[in-house]
Amino acid sequence: MTRNPESRLRRLRQSAPVRDLVRETSLEARQLVLPMFVREGLSEPQPIRSMPGVVQHSLDSLRAAATDAAETGVGGIMLFGVPEVRDAHGSGADDPDGILNVATAAVAAEVGDALVVQTDLCLDEFTDHGHCGVLGATGAVDNDATLERYVAMGLAQARAGSQLLGLSGMMDGQVAAVRQELDAEGFHDTLVLGYAAKYASAFYGPFREAVDSQLQGDRRTYQLDPGNRREGVREALFDQDEGADIVMVKPAMAFLDVLREVRDTVDVPVWAYQVSGEYAMIEAAAGNGWIDRRRAVLESLLSIRRAGADAVLTYWAVEAARWLAER
Ligand code: PBG
C-alpha cells in the first residue's frame, strides 16, 4: 500500500516542543474572568457547599481576593451581590448603598487599573421572588417595566465605577436601553456585555445557593430553550445590533456548537461562561479521584476557547492563571 508522506500525522505529536509549536489554540490568563460573590453583612468569607473552593465574600475578603486575582494577570472579575433584604422591585440593585454598588466602588478603587472590573446587571439577586425582572399583574415577568429597572441599575453600577456591565437578565431590548442611558449620562466608555445566548439550564444549580436565590419555578419564559441553536445566533445578532461591545454564550460546555456558530457570525468579541454546574461536576469527579483535576480544568477551558470563545468566565480563573504561569 502506498502512502502519501504527508499522511504521517503523528509527526506533529512527537514531542512536547513540537506539540507546543503547532497547537492551534492558546489559553492565557488575560482571557480569563473570575466571577466573585459578595454578601452583605458578612464579616468572614462563607464557603458555598455546592461549589467547593468558592466563597461568598465579605467586603474585606473581596478586596483582598481581587488584589490577588489582579496579581495573577487574569483579564477581569465579574461581581455578583447578595443583599440582606430583598423586595418585589429589587430596590437594592440601583441603591448606591446597595451591596453590589458599594463593593464595586471599593474594588474599582483597589484594582481598577490592573484588570477590568465588571458587574452582573440583573435583578434576580435583589428580588424577593427571585426572577430576573419585575412581575406584572398576571405574575409574569414584565419585559418593559424591567428595562426601566435595568437602566437605573446600569447607571448606578457605572457611577460606582464598574467598567463593564454584564446584562444577564434576557429581557428583549435590554442592551439598547442600557446603552442609550449610559451615553445620555456621559458614560461613553462603560462597556456593555450582552448575555445574548443564555439558556434555561440545569447547570446553574449551584449558583442558586451561591446567591441565596429565592426563585420558585424556572426562567423558561425569558432564557433560551436548550434545543435551539439558530435562536441563540439570532439573540447574538440582536445584541450586536443594539450596541453590545461583547456577546456571551452561556453555559459553555453543553453549548459549544452555539458558541462556534456565534463566533462565526458576529464581529464583536464572544465570551462564554463556564457556569457553576460545570465547575461542580469537575470538582466532584476530581474529589472522588475519578479524573485528574488540573488536566480536566485546563482541557475544559482550552476546549471552550477552541469552540470560539475569546474569553471565558470561570470560577477557576485565578488557579488556572497560576498553572499557566508555571509552564
Ligand atoms: C442570573 C444569573 C445566573 C447565573 C449568572 N447570572 C443564574 C440564572 O440565570 O439562574 C448563573 C451562573 C452560574 O451558574 O455559574 N443573574
Side-chain angles (χ1 to χ4, degrees):
M1 199 178 86
T2 58
R3 264 169 181 279
N4 179 338
E6 279 176 1
S7 72
R8 289 195 170 269
L9 294 173
R10 287 185 52 198
R11 254 199 305 273
L12 291 168
R13 304 170 200 152
Q14 63 185 286
S15 66
V18 172
R19 290 192 296 273
D20 283 345
L21 190 59
V22 302
R23 187 168 306 113
E24 299 169 36
T25 308
S26 68
L27 183 62
E28 301 171 37
R30 67 178 182 91
Q31 298 157 339
L32 304 176
V33 175
L34 178 69
M36 304 178 86
F37 305 102
V38 57
R39 179 168 184 169
E40 190 172 16
L42 284 187
S43 50
E44 292 291 318
Q46 186 166 311
I48 299 164
R49 201 179 35 90
S50 53
M51 300 175 73
V54 180
V55 299
Q56 292 179 329
H57 281 289
S58 67
L59 267 177
D60 284 344
S61 74
L62 179 77
R63 263 199 301 262
T67 304
D68 208 36
E71 278 163 9
T72 67
V74 299
I77 54 178
M78 173 67 78
L79 304 178
F80 292 87
V82 185
E84 234 158 19
V85 181
R86 300 176 166 92
D87 63 25
H89 289 87
S91 307
D94 56 319
D95 180 348
D97 296 323
I99 180 63
L100 181 54
N101 297 321
V102 168
T104 300
V107 164
E110 197 103 356
V111 295
D113 295 329
L115 47 64
V116 182
V117 174
Q118 319 176 19
T119 45
D120 183 59
L121 200 170
C122 186
L123 287 177
D124 64 316
E125 288 94 18
F126 297 94
T127 52
D128 54 12
H129 46 72
H131 274 293
C132 292
V134 294
L135 306 182
T138 62
V141 174
D142 181 333
N143 194 89
D144 295 6
T146 300
L147 293 185
E148 289 178 28
R149 299 291 301 126
Y150 286 0
V151 162
M153 189 177 185
L155 197 55
Q157 293 185 346
R159 286 185 176 137
S162 176
Q163 298 162 353
L164 182 152
L165 312 183
L167 276 62
S168 67
M170 290 301 287
M171 295 301 124
D172 287 328
Q174 61 184 11
V175 169
V178 170
R179 181 74 267 165
Q180 190 179 22
E181 180 75 357
L182 290 172
D183 288 344
E185 295 294 320
F187 290 102
H188 301 289
D189 289 336
T190 306
L191 293 148
V192 169
L193 161 68
Y195 277 52
K198 179 174 180 181
Y199 287 85
S201 172
F203 294 104
Y204 304 147
F207 179 92
R208 302 272 162 91
E209 180 191 336
V211 299
D212 189 19
S213 174
Q214 306 297 303
L215 184 70
Q216 308 283 329
D218 59 55
R219 307 194 196 284
R220 287 178 218 204
T221 68
Y222 41 104
Q223 297 180 347
L224 286 165
D225 188 295
N228 297 347
R229 185 177 63 188
R230 285 196 308 265
E231 195 183 345
V233 174
R234 200 158 167 238
E235 281 277 2
L237 285 168
F238 268 56
D239 278 8
Q240 176 172 256
D241 287 348
E242 288 181 32
D245 299 290
I246 302 161
V247 296
M248 176 89 93
V249 174
K250 175 184 178 182
M253 273 180 84
F255 297 90
L256 295 181
D257 57 328
V258 180
L259 181 54
R260 168 47 56 195
E261 196 157 335
V262 168
R263 178 56 291 166
D264 289 344
T265 305
V266 300
D267 298 315
V268 293
V270 177
W271 291 4
Y273 197 142
Q274 183 177 53
V275 301
S276 58
E278 300 178 68
Y279 177 88
M281 284 193 298
I282 291 179
E283 287 293 337
N288 277 299
W290 296 337
I291 53 173
D292 180 321
R293 181 171 177 275
R294 176 170 167 161
R295 283 189 59 197
V297 169
L298 288 174
E299 181 179 323
S300 70
L301 290 169
L302 187 68
S303 298
I304 294 164
R305 287 262 309 129
R306 189 197 63 237
D310 298 296
V312 186
L313 274 79
T314 173
Y315 299 98
W316 288 299
V318 163
E319 195 173 10
R322 292 209 174 97
W323 290 334
L324 293 169
E326 278 172 25
R327 289 204 294 214

